[in-house]
Amino acid sequence: MFKQLEQRLSLSKPLTVYLAGGMAVHLYTANRITTDVDAEFSGRVIIPNDLMVEITLEDGSPQLIYLDTNYNSTFALMHEDYQDDAIPVDLGLEHIQVRVLSPVDLAVSKIARLADNDREDIQALVRLGLTTANEIEQRAKSALQGYIGGQAMLMVNLRDALVIARDAEGQRAL
């Protein structure tokens, strides 16, 4: 998909893409299936609406993967250093550098919404030892210092996310 994007945008300068969401979780855990790619771009680009890739699932059925043009990282709880701490993924592209959010930043980014799949993502990241409840708590509390707006719901979601993470830590010990 990013190879197609690089070609279709006719890039002449470097562009960094930061992967978040379910696709980023899948890269770390291999247990999350998603059809959309949540990505933030380091520059302004117009994403072609018809940019998608067909893959074949393990059961042989076809699945379309597409860039979510509505993704916006400002709606998530994000630490001010999330881009600096994102991990490079070498896809062999000339002008696009793909970086995936670190496991702790990925978990923190799930806190604002904390839907069922977000809860499962946090659990998977912690259960696999990619981050811990304490790391999530520290990073989220630091991110809250830069958050503008009401924090009451975020604090409730953080509390719930930490319960999920601590439970996952207990499962890891088994």
Side-chain angles (χ1 to χ4, degrees):
M1 177 181 303
F2 289 113
K3 184 173 285 214
Q4 282 184 36
L5 181 63
E6 184 176 64
Q7 292 168 351
R8 291 181 66 183
L9 292 178
S10 301
L11 295 174
S12 59
K13 318 190 279 194
L15 178 69
T16 304
V17 178
Y18 299 92
L19 285 183
M23 190 60 68
V25 172
H26 177 76
L27 288 175
Y28 285 116
T29 67
N31 72 344
R32 171 89 139 86
I33 296 174
T34 185
T35 58
D36 68 324
V37 177
D38 295 330
E40 177 181 1
F41 297 84
S42 64
R44 293 182 180 168
V45 295
I46 297 175
I47 305 298
N49 287 333
D50 62 344
L51 180 69
M52 52 190 77
V53 175
E54 185 174 314
I55 63 166
T56 304
L57 299 177
E58 288 180 6
D59 66 2
S61 62
Q63 182 69 56
L64 288 177
I65 305 292
Y66 64 95
L67 277 169
D68 181 354
T69 56
N70 292 317
Y71 174 74
N72 187 332
S73 64
T74 60
F75 297 140
L77 180 61
M78 302 295 261
H79 189 274
E80 64 183 343
D81 295 330
Y82 76 96
Q83 290 181 338
D84 294 334
D85 296 337
I87 299 164
V89 178
D90 184 5
L91 298 179
L93 301 171
E94 186 176 347
H95 295 293
I96 294 180
Q97 180 189 36
V98 177
R99 298 177 66 88
V100 62
L101 266 57
S102 70
V104 68
D105 283 323
L106 198 48
V108 169
S109 75
K110 302 289 186 170
I111 291 171
R113 187 177 67 173
L114 206 60
D116 288 344
N117 59 324
D118 299 315
R119 294 168 182 268
E120 292 165 6
D121 291 345
I122 292 169
Q123 182 183 43
L125 291 166
V126 173
R127 190 178 57 245
L128 291 172
L130 300 170
T131 190
T132 67
N134 287 340
E135 290 170 346
I136 293 168
E137 182 175 28
Q138 289 172 3
R139 193 72 164 181
K141 285 184 176 178
S142 180
L144 281 166
Q145 293 174 11
Y147 187 81
I148 298 172
Q151 296 185 6
M153 185 51 114
L154 284 174
M155 294 305 293
V156 170
N157 285 0
L158 174 57
R159 181 200 65 211
D160 292 349
L162 293 174
V163 168
I164 292 164
R166 290 190 177 103
D167 182 55
E169 287 174 338
Q171 293 174 13
R172 187 174 63 214
L174 298 177

